[in-house]
């Protein structure tokens, strides 16, 4: 009798868990289906109201002047023998000074670090990379080419081809994910890690699986798995959706004095309007479920995590949870009123906090490793 009751209890618990999981994923996929349906309705409505302009978009052939601003640095290229890909980057500061490497997020490119390139070139060799599939870097056509292990290997190879074996690594959004993984897999390469609005990958996975609110905020991950349709929705009406990401009240840059100028916005549209550019950027999401084996998930480098309080895509609670995976010094700063686009929204505060973090502990001169 006792054994029967025990088995019945186990069966009840098992069924409850399965029902909970099914309900959870039904909620997520139902929400994604709803969003896709709304997107289709909007598309149909636009076709009815503006049939001649809905499917129009302009490929920007001439880059705006701000992309050639010499105060930001010099445009350079490096071809990695292992992957065969050519990467574009903008570099400033004297060669031989410690390397500070910047990794951008979606849907950005090197230009998102313009305020930091000017700020840190006095004491660092600052390099802002166009990551694989972005800007003037090569855009592999295969979705498989954007696996996480390839993206991490790119950064290691770039650091080595720049003539360094260590760097101060700074990443935002997707660049933050890659920066975390670089620090985990190549701890000897990362002197200090600085991440903006991007939680440790394990924190994000665990939190999203247990908090529907975050999964709903990340529902676009599922939408982006669709072929062709996301590219269409992002480019119709001359990239209206992309413009909205940076300028709307809910998701855009919130600091009034830092709103993107018309020329700044054109810089983004120039990069993203090139043939294949949107597909390259979206292929990061289409490989987000690829598994990058982690023998350990702890980060040995000192870590600074900066977080915009008004991030529309990420729950703030994840920021503090990152502390569990840091073996070294960890500093978290949540910036009041700041949006997801932190380094552009509040550059003065971000730069000050980075300087403070860099100067903590051992001096910079100890890291002049070539």
């Amino acid at each position: 009798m006792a054994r029967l009751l025990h088995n019945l209890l186990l069966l009840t618990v098992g069924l409850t868990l399965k029902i909970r999981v099914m309900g959870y994923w039904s909620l997520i996929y139902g929400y994604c289906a709803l969003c896709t349906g709304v997107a289709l309705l909007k598309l149909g409505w636009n076709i009815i109201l503006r049939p001649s302009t809905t499917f129009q978009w302009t490929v920007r052939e001439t880059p705006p002047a701000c992309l050639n601003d010499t105060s930001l640095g010099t445009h350079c290229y490096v071809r990695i023998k292992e992957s065969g890909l050519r990467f574009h980057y903008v570099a400033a500061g004297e060669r031989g000074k410690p390397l500070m490497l910047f990794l951008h997020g979606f849907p950005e490119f090197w230009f998102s670090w313009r305020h930091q390139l000017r700020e840190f070139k006095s004491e660092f060799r600052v390099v802002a990379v166009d990551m694989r599939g972005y800007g003037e870097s090569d855009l592999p056509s295969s979705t498989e080419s954007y696996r996480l292990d390839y993206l991490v290997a790119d950064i290691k190879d770039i650091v080595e081809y720049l003539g360094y074996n260590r760097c101060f690594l700074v990443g935002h959004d997707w660049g933050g994910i890659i920066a975390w993984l670089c620090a985990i897999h190549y701890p000897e390469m990362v002197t200090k890690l600085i991440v903006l609005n991007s939680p440790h990958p394990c924190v994000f996975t665990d939190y999203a699986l247990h908090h529907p609110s975050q999964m709903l905020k990340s529902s676009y991950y599922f939408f982006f798995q669709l072929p062709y349709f996301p590219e269409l929705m992002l480019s119709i009406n001359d990239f209206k959706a992309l413009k909205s990401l940076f300028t709307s009240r809910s998701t855009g840059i919130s600091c009034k004095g830092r709103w993107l100028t018309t020329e700044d916005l054109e810089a983004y549209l120039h990069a993203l309007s090139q043939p294949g550019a949107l597909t390259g950027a979206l292929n990061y999401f289409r490989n987000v479920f690829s598994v990058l084996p982690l023998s350990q998930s702890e980060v040995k480098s000192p870590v600074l995590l900066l977080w915009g309080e008004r991030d529309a895509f990420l729950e703030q609670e994840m920021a503090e949870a990152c502390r569990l995976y840091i073996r070294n010094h960890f500093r978290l700063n949540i910036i009041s009123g700041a949006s997801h686009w932190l380094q552009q929204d509040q550059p003065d505060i971000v730069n000050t906090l980075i300087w403070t973090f860099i100067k903590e502990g051992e001096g910079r001169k100890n890291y002049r490793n070539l």
Side-chain angles (χ1 to χ4, degrees), residues 67 69-77 88-92 100-102 110-111 117 125-130 136:
L67 294 182
D69 184 348
T70 56
S71 70
L72 296 176
T74 304
H75 292 260
C76 309
Y77 301 85
H88 167 257
Y89 63 92
V90 172
M100 182 178 286
L101 185 64
F102 296 96
W110 71 266
F111 186 68
L117 288 171
R125 176 66 171 171
V126 289
V127 173
V129 179
D130 276 341
E136 293 184 53

Side-chain angles (χ1 to χ4, degrees), residues 45-72:
W45 186 249
N46 282 330
I47 292 173
I48 294 172
L49 293 181
R50 296 185 293 272
S52 62
T53 61
T54 296
F55 294 106
Q56 288 186 359
W57 55 83
T58 303
V59 175
R60 275 71 173 175
E61 296 182 358
T62 304
C66 60
L67 294 182
N68 294 313
D69 184 348
T70 56
S71 70
L72 296 176

Side-chain angles (χ1 to χ4, degrees), residues 7 16 64 76 100 130 158 179 229 250 284 303 319 340 346:
N7 291 337
T16 302
C76 309
M100 182 178 286
D130 276 341
I158 289 171
F229 189 54
S250 58
Y284 280 65
V303 176
H340 179 74
Q346 302 280 2

Side-chain angles (χ1 to χ4, degrees), residues 14-60:
L15 285 173
T16 302
L17 289 174
K18 287 182 179 179
I19 292 172
R20 182 180 177 184
V21 170
M22 290 176 62
Y24 182 89
W25 287 108
S26 295
L27 173 65
I28 299 304
Y29 280 105
Y31 180 76
C32 292
L34 176 63
C35 290
T36 302
V38 170
L40 286 169
L41 288 173
K42 286 183 177 179
L43 176 60
W45 186 249
N46 282 330
I47 292 173
I48 294 172
L49 293 181
R50 296 185 293 272
S52 62
T53 61
T54 296
F55 294 106
Q56 288 186 359
W57 55 83
T58 303
V59 175
R60 275 71 173 175

